[in-house]
Amino acid sequence: MYQFDIAAGSKAELYHDLHAALDALTAGEADAIANMANAAALIGQYLPDLNWSGFYRMVAGELVLGPFQGKAACIRIPVGKGVCGAAVATGETQRVADVHAFPGHIACDAASRSELVVPIVHDGQVLGVLDLDSPVPDRFDAEDQAGCEALMTLLAPRLAGKAIRPV
């Protein structure tokens, strides 16, 4: 159905291509679950060294597991708990080089060593988070953070049901 030419060159090219692919996959679709599912699959397929890629959705004041790629995960996370909860509580991306050194880290997969969590915000409201785990210590850098933040900026209105279907 979809074929993407994802660059094997620089990290900047990779994120540029991921942005274009995510835009194509979610353009005109207002269903949040469908958009998260495709985003998790796309990111899981093309970002190297991940053992989990997915979403937690804000539901009734807590994070609830959404679509993902990887091993079974924690279902509910209170705001302020773990890396995902910290991202929601602070409203800031959490880039953790060593999850074992993060106070209150919630270990869903013992193989995870580093984590990147990006809050998804639309119209001042946190809709959820993108959560990426890696078995590689210090896997995520500033370029990964900026690239994933740009992906979530694109995706946020499409998770809020604000997508406009092409005519």
Side-chain angles (χ1 to χ4, degrees):
M1 180 174 182
Y2 293 100
Q3 285 191 325
F4 300 111
D5 185 17
I6 304 293
S10 72
K11 197 177 278 194
E13 291 171 320
L14 170 65
Y15 279 106
H16 176 270
D17 290 350
L18 279 173
H19 194 276
L22 184 61
D23 189 25
L25 277 172
T26 61
E29 181 54 63
D31 187 88
I33 300 297
N35 286 333
M36 285 185 279
N38 267 336
L42 183 73
I43 291 166
Q45 181 178 357
Y46 289 107
L47 282 187
D49 300 319
L50 298 182
N51 61 330
W52 203 91
S53 65
F55 293 88
Y56 281 90
R57 306 167 297 120
M58 282 300 298
V59 178
E62 68 181 340
L63 290 166
V64 178
L65 183 63
F68 68 92
Q69 301 285 307
K71 290 183 179 180
C74 306
I75 295 174
R76 295 180 183 274
I77 300 174
V79 172
K81 299 292 183 188
V83 181
C84 291
V88 173
T90 64
E92 297 176 356
T93 297
Q94 303 292 305
R95 192 172 78 224
V96 180
D98 178 4
V99 295
H100 301 298
F102 189 91
H105 173 253
I106 301 168
C108 294
D109 182 350
S112 293
R113 296 291 309 278
S114 58
E115 190 167 1
L116 180 69
V117 179
V118 179
I120 306 164
V121 180
H122 182 72
D123 289 341
Q125 179 183 7
V126 177
L127 304 176
V129 298
L130 168 68
D131 183 15
L132 304 178
D133 292 356
S134 174
V136 178
D138 203 17
R139 155 62 183 88
F140 305 103
D141 61 18
E143 215 171 350
D144 292 303
Q145 179 175 338
C148 288
E149 288 172 344
L151 291 173
M152 293 307 100
T153 297
L154 169 70
L155 194 59
R158 297 166 187 193
L159 299 183
K162 305 287 185 195
I164 299 172
R165 291 201 170 274
V167 179

